[in-house]
Amino acid sequence: EPEVTQTPSHQVTQMGQEVILRCVPISNHLYFYWYRQILGQKVEFLVSFYNNEISEKSEIFDDQFSVERPDGSNFTLKIRSTKLEDSAMYFCASSEGYGRGRNVVEQFFGPGTRLTVL
Amino acid sequence: AQSVTQLGSHVSVSEGALVLLRCNYSSSVPPYLFWYVQYPNQGLQLLLKYTSAATLVKGINGFEAEFKKSETSFHLTKPSAHMSDAAEYFCAVSDRSGGGADGLTFGKGTHLIIQP
């Protein structure tokens, strides 16, 4: 069964450093997403990506963050100048596309990357 | 704006007992509602989704949920808990179909503990 994969599973970095979190969405999916979950808090939407550009982003997704689809399979989240409060689990998700009317489409999630900023 | 409230960060039930996980939502438009489950060290897996076709929705692993507009609720139930049901459960809402550009809005999650 196809699945979303993410690497690394755990990333430790020093405050101020840049990190790149990697995701391989399901191959025929068109929409890609990043979410994060700070320990003990809600899963929060960061950004969605379609047709090689950002579709929607939340207020969390500021200039510190960027996303890219560098090739036909990978989808990355770059966090520049990391801060302590960026420590969280980051989930990548993908879906087939936009459902019309009541055709609700499922988002498939990866296992997450735990980012620890020291 | 939409939001989700999951009552109870931890719920403990005995094996074979009824499972009830509560979810209340707030949405300015008719919502699309989802329940996801997360097993340790794994991603979020869709249990079931509400599409307005039927208020009682059946999902995988014997779970079901009932949409009650008057109560703005979408509680998750299972008649008989199994040890393998121990996991984190997330309720989520979207004002779109869930597969488009808009992200899902999640609750804080409920950790389900199954007592032998």
Side-chain angles (χ1 to χ4, degrees):
Chain A
E1 183 176 335
E3 58 183 14
V4 177
T5 60
Q6 292 185 243
T7 55
S9 57
H10 192 187
Q11 174 91 44
V12 180
T13 190
Q14 295 291 324
M15 189 169 55
Q17 296 297 303
E18 175 182 286
V19 295
I20 297 176
L21 310 183
R22 290 181 168 78
C23 168
V24 179
I26 295 173
S27 61
N28 64 334
H29 284 186
L30 302 177
Y31 281 87
F32 314 117
Y33 313 81
W34 282 102
Y35 293 82
R36 79 172 184 190
Q37 184 182 29
I38 296 172
L39 188 64
Q41 298 187 25
K42 299 181 179 185
V43 176
E44 301 171 293
F45 168 71
L46 293 178
V47 66
S48 62
F49 191 85
Y50 171 72
N51 199 26
N52 286 319
E53 61 182 23
I54 291 173
S55 294
E56 299 287 341
K57 59 182 182 179
S58 71
E59 61 275 11
I60 301 169
F61 194 88
D62 58 22
D63 293 342
Q64 184 193 5
F65 296 90
S66 62
V67 289
E68 189 180 24
R69 188 156 164 82
D71 52 43
S73 60
N74 289 283
F75 179 51
T76 63
L77 174 68
K78 182 187 291 185
I79 308 175
R80 287 180 282 274
S81 188
T82 50
K83 299 174 284 192
L84 295 176
E85 53 265 39
D86 294 328
S87 295
M89 181 72 86
Y90 289 82
F91 293 104
C92 173
S94 68
S95 70
E96 289 180 324
Y98 184 76
R100 302 296 176 189
R102 298 305 174 187
N103 180 25
V104 181
V105 180
E106 175 183 353
Q107 294 185 22
F108 290 80
F109 284 77
T113 292
R114 181 167 297 284
L115 176 65
T116 301
V117 182
L118 302 176
Chain B
Q2 54 203 15
S3 65
V4 174
T5 302
Q6 290 184 242
L7 194 61
S9 59
H10 291 78
V11 170
S12 180
V13 302
S14 299
E15 190 175 17
L18 172 71
V19 175
L20 171 60
L21 304 182
R22 298 179 187 274
C23 172
N24 288 90
Y25 70 90
S26 169
S27 177
S28 58
V29 298
Y32 296 89
L33 294 159
F34 308 82
W35 274 100
Y36 281 85
V37 61
Q38 185 181 30
Y39 299 103
N41 301 314
Q42 295 188 27
L44 301 168
Q45 179 184 7
L46 184 68
L47 271 179
L48 49 80
K49 57 191 178 188
Y50 167 71
T51 66
S52 82
T55 56
L56 184 62
V57 181
K58 294 187 183 300
I60 62 173
N61 302 337
F63 285 93
E64 60 183 37
E66 185 173 9
F67 173 71
K68 292 187 176 180
K69 184 178 179 180
S70 61
E71 298 177 8
T72 61
S73 68
F74 190 57
H75 301 330
L76 181 71
T77 60
K78 182 174 180 177
S80 177
H82 191 272
M83 295 300 291
S84 61
D85 294 327
E88 192 82 15
Y89 291 80
F90 296 93
C91 182
V93 65
S94 173
D95 61 2
R96 305 282 282 275
S97 67
D102 288 356
L104 301 174
T105 298
F106 283 87
K108 291 186 73 171
T110 297
H111 187 66
L112 178 62
I113 301 162
I114 310 297
Q115 304 282 0

